Amino acid sequence: MKELTHYIDGAHVKGTSGRFSDVWNPATGEVQARCPLANADEMARAVEAAAKAQPAWAATNPQRRARVLMAFVGLLNRDMDKLAEALSAEHGKTFPDAKGDIQRGLEVVEFCIGAPELLKGEYTDGAGPGIDIYSMRQALGVTAGITPFNFPAMIPMWMFAPAIACGNAFILKPSERDPSVPLMLAELMEEAGLPKGILQVVNGDKEAVDAILDNDVIQSIGFVGSTPIAEYIYGRGCSNGKRVQCFGGAKNHMIVMPDADMDQAADALVGAGYGAAGERCMAISVAVPVGDETADRLIEKLVPRIEKLKVGPYTAGTDVDYGPLVTPEAKKRVLGLVQSGIDQGADLVVDGRDFSLQGYEDGFFVGPHLFDKVTPDMDIYQQEIFGPVLSTVRAGSYEEALKLAMDHEMGNGTAIFTRDGDAARDFANRVNVGMIGVNVPIPVPLAYHTFGGWKKSMFGDLNQHGPDAFKFYTRTKTVTARWPSGIKDGGEFHFKQMD
Ligand code: NAD
């Protein structure tokens, strides 16, 4: 059995805690590796190496730091296929989707190459007689990030690229379900010229996370994952005095207005609902057609498209639309929620429960499901399913559709499909959700904008990537300086008014 490692102080090191978790091949249902689960001592070793390396990295000028990221982009492109292969083999997503995962992270790295510009401070010349004021952005020191299984390349890069560009050391605690790509990324960063100790990967579960939360040297924590864990990490991290940003789960609604192009809406829903087997925080999991007539037309367009979906292993290349779920527990949970939908009275229009693939009978595949006439009291509406299950909630009016999206506790993304600019504009302005698509089903902002939801999808003040990341990973220091003429008149005992 392959045994994975940690990556500490520039080297692969074996786990010493004696605890491991299984890493599956989700397509075959076999355990392909075991992942070491770090204890507090192993985490402390990484923190020590990070603290030792960080001051010299922070003192390296931002342009030189950016050059390491530039070289890293070249290496990502060089190794794209190798990385995507490792990613698909552990996660289960299709090969093109795995490349998309890496590409979206790579784009954040490209944005961070602009660090010299983004880290420029502010300067007021002559704020008073002989007085200048300047603000600078300084690195925090040792920072850490905890990431989910569903984007094992993109989300680590969302965090470590800006953290490192700003002069911090970064400790990554990736998901124990697919840890190989994060380890490969750390190796590539060093090949690109990053000094050892600046990017380390410590694998683990709650024990490793708690060791991060309670470590006095770690200054900031980034988290992406499910909402209960986001709330836990935000609460404990903040009360330990750290800067924390936590991104949680989602339940993204797509409003379909009566005037929408129904073919376009159905195509969008199929891609956004079933792509990556629904294991995306920006997946559309709720379709909200406005009016029964719209709902009937939409369902009529959706059913044949869903029935044609090709579900299979990533080794089928472009000939497959989505792959298996990540673990046997994930499959069990999704099928349990499907059963609850049936029990609670929703119409199961497309039933994927009996799906089986010859040669892959033990894989964690789940066929596509479509529910109609779902109501807000049902578990399949309230909970994030994170599987290939789309629920349709029929709304009587636009206002009712808007209220549904607004009343749900999650607020990551949402979309409206319409030809009416007035409705689209009203929706974008009023809805209490962080990322909005207008005739765009998965409105994930590009690297130079910021990414973040509202309500229980996000805890903290600053979003991922874009300019917010450079604020999150730096502290502002402001200097008021007077040279030298103003210091001849003796001490001053009141706040000076600037003349
Ligand atoms: P998860 O919450 O189970 O795990 C995320 C991370 O937390 C992992 O590194 C895991 O090891 C760690 N963790 C798990 N249990 C813990 C515990 N009890 N204490 C401390 N740490 C713990 O999430 P997941 O299943 O890996 O990912 C799927 C979830 O992530 C979904 O809810 C999805 O919506 C969400 N997600 C959100 C975004 C976003 O940007 N909002 C993006 C991607 C995924």
Side-chain angles (χ1 to χ4, degrees):
M1 173 73 58
K2 186 173 166 194
E3 186 176 317
L4 298 171
T5 59
H6 307 297
Y7 194 79
I8 297 177
D9 205 12
H12 285 279
V13 296
K14 282 189 150 202
T16 56
S17 71
R19 293 197 310 122
F20 293 88
S21 66
D22 291 336
V23 179
W24 298 92
N25 177 333
T28 62
E30 291 159 346
V31 175
Q32 55 174 319
R34 43 184 217 155
C35 172
L37 303 174
N39 58 24
D41 287 346
E42 289 167 298
M43 186 60 74
R45 228 199 107 199
V47 174
E48 199 184 316
K52 205 167 132 219
Q54 190 269 334
W57 180 244
T60 304
N61 79 50
Q63 200 159 6
R64 284 184 188 275
R65 295 199 301 255
R67 280 189 199 130
V68 172
L69 295 179
M70 244 182 260
F72 178 59
V73 167
L75 298 177
L76 285 174
N77 281 316
R78 182 196 72 188
D79 287 0
M80 179 66 83
D81 284 358
K82 194 170 133 194
L83 288 160
E85 165 86 32
L87 199 160
S88 290
E90 288 183 356
H91 178 287
K93 65 173 74 173
T94 66
F95 192 66
D97 205 26
K99 283 185 165 180
D101 187 333
I102 299 158
Q103 176 64 27
R104 275 303 186 97
L106 182 155
E107 288 167 12
V108 173
V109 181
E110 285 175 336
F111 172 73
C112 293
I113 291 170
E117 167 67 20
L118 289 155
L119 289 172
K120 274 195 321 207
E122 294 169 344
Y123 194 92
T124 302
D125 175 41
I131 296 179
D132 304 324
I133 302 179
Y134 61 97
S135 297
M136 47 187 163
R137 297 202 155 274
Q138 294 195 324
L140 302 176
V142 179
T143 60
I146 300 149
T147 53
F149 81 86
N150 68 328
F151 283 98
M154 177 183 81
I155 295 179
M157 285 191 262
W158 276 2
M159 297 181 186
F160 75 65
I164 287 172
C166 290
N168 299 288
F170 187 86
I171 297 175
L172 173 65
K173 205 304 285 168
S175 171
E176 64 276 38
R177 295 177 216 165
D178 46 13
S180 289
V181 168
L183 288 164
M184 291 163 84
L185 295 177
E187 277 176 21
L188 289 181
M189 280 289 277
E190 284 192 17
E191 191 182 337
L194 191 72
K196 62 182 189 168
I198 298 299
L199 175 60
Q200 301 176 94
V201 180
V202 181
N203 284 305
D205 57 1
K206 183 174 184 337
E207 194 173 329
V209 171
D210 286 348
I212 290 174
L213 288 168
D214 296 338
N215 188 294
D216 289 340
V217 176
I218 294 174
Q219 300 294 305
S220 76
I221 301 175
F223 171 85
V224 179
S226 59
T227 290
I229 314 295
E231 275 183 298
Y232 165 69
I233 290 178
Y234 191 69
R236 186 153 159 185
C238 288
S239 68
N240 284 346
K242 301 188 189 310
R243 182 177 292 190
V244 191
Q245 56 173 189
C246 292
F247 297 77
K251 196 76 181 175
N252 305 321
H253 293 52
M254 181 169 133
I255 316 298
V256 182
M257 296 293 284
D259 67 350
D261 175 329
M262 221 43 78
D263 285 301
Q264 189 196 47
D267 284 340
L269 268 171
V270 170
Y274 301 97
E279 290 177 322
R280 286 183 184 140
C281 68
M282 289 295 276
I284 294 288
S285 49
V286 184
V288 188
V290 173
D292 272 333
E293 196 259 339
T294 311
D296 293 341
R297 279 195 292 141
L298 182 65
I299 298 281
E300 196 184 301
K301 299 270 183 197
L302 278 173
V303 172
R305 285 169 166 83
I306 296 169
E307 286 174 343
K308 263 194 239 134
L309 283 171
K310 286 178 277 177
V311 184
Y314 78 93
T315 42
T318 52
D319 197 32
V320 60
D321 296 314
Y322 75 81
L325 295 181
V326 67
T327 57
E329 295 78 30
K331 178 171 175 175
K332 195 167 159 228
R333 189 178 164 273
V334 169
L335 292 177
L337 277 161
V338 168
Q339 188 58 47
S340 83
I342 298 165
D343 295 345
Q344 292 171 7
D347 278 3
L348 186 57
V349 183
V350 179
D351 184 352
R353 283 176 296 170
D354 290 335
F355 179 86
S356 173
L357 195 63
Q358 210 184 356
Y360 294 91
E361 289 81 0
D362 294 330
F364 314 137
F365 294 98
V366 173
H369 293 76
L370 175 66
F371 278 109
D372 191 9
K373 301 189 179 149
V374 173
T375 51
D377 54 314
M378 294 178 184
D379 290 346
I380 51 169
Y381 179 73
Q382 288 171 4
Q383 293 185 31
E384 181 180 37
I385 301 177
F386 230 52
V389 182
L390 181 63
S391 298
T392 310
V393 182
R394 295 172 173 232
S397 65
Y398 163 71
E399 286 296 333
E400 210 181 289
L402 173 67
K403 187 169 176 334
L404 268 174
M406 293 191 64
D407 287 350
H408 202 283
E409 64 172 1
M410 300 297 184
N412 215 37
T414 185
I416 185 167
F417 273 62
T418 181
R419 290 188 171 99
D420 179 350
D422 181 37
R425 192 163 179 272
D426 184 76
F427 183 72
N429 282 333
R430 285 167 65 198
V431 73
N432 55 359
V433 171
M435 293 170 281
I436 320 295
V438 175
N439 298 315
V440 171
I442 307 189
V444 177
L446 289 181
Y448 41 92
H449 287 267
T450 73
F451 178 107
W454 287 15
K455 300 186 277 183
K456 291 213 169 217
S457 297
M458 204 283 201
F459 304 84
D461 309 302
L462 292 165
N463 276 353
Q464 295 281 356
H465 60 70
D468 273 12
F470 280 74
K471 293 194 181 117
F472 184 75
Y473 285 109
T474 54
R475 272 189 199 99
T476 305
K477 184 181 275 177
T478 304
V479 179
T480 305
R482 179 159 65 183
W483 294 99
S485 60
I487 52 173
K488 290 173 188 158
D489 304 330
E492 284 168 1
F493 299 96
H494 54 274
F495 277 139
K496 180 91 177 115
Q497 297 283 319
M498 297 301 178
D499 306 318

